[in-house]
């Protein structure tokens, strides 16, 4: 599902959609146990949210990153 959201966001081409899609991919990766992949997706979501000027979404991404970082030590 997260992959489909990402493909749709790429077609839309706006930063907000891409940021949300990367956060969704991060959540999916974390749920499947791929913590390094999750962190990578979260980092991209955070970068896009910063570029877009969306501080609320950026904070949500940073909060989500904590879970992946805790498990990676």
């Amino acid at each position: 599902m997260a992959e489909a959201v990402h493909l749709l966001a790429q077609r839309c081409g706006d930063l907000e959609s891409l940021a949300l899609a990367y956060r969704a991919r991060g959540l999916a990766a974390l749920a499947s146990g791929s913590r390094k992949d999750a962190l990578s997706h979260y980092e991209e979501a955070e970068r896009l949210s910063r570029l877009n000027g969306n501080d609320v979404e950026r904070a949500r991404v940073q909060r989500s990153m904590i879970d992946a970082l805790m498990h990676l030590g």
Side-chain angles (χ1 to χ4, degrees):
M1 181 79 80
E3 190 66 32
V5 169
H6 188 251
L7 290 172
L8 287 171
Q10 285 180 318
R11 294 193 86 179
C12 291
D14 66 283
L15 293 178
E16 186 170 0
S17 295
L18 282 172
L20 291 170
Y22 273 105
R23 186 159 68 98
R25 289 181 76 181
L27 290 167
L30 189 62
S32 69
S34 301
R35 292 169 184 93
K36 286 183 182 180
D37 290 339
L39 187 57
S40 175
H41 296 311
Y42 288 145
E43 287 171 344
E44 184 62 11
E46 194 273 336
R47 184 186 75 80
L48 292 169
S49 295
R50 184 174 14 90
L51 287 174
N52 196 37
N54 189 337
D55 292 334
V56 173
E57 181 59 22
R58 186 174 174 207
R60 287 179 181 139
V61 172
Q62 290 171 340
R63 185 185 61 196
S64 297
M65 292 171 88
I66 293 171
D67 285 337
L69 290 167
M70 280 189 330
H71 292 289
L72 289 171

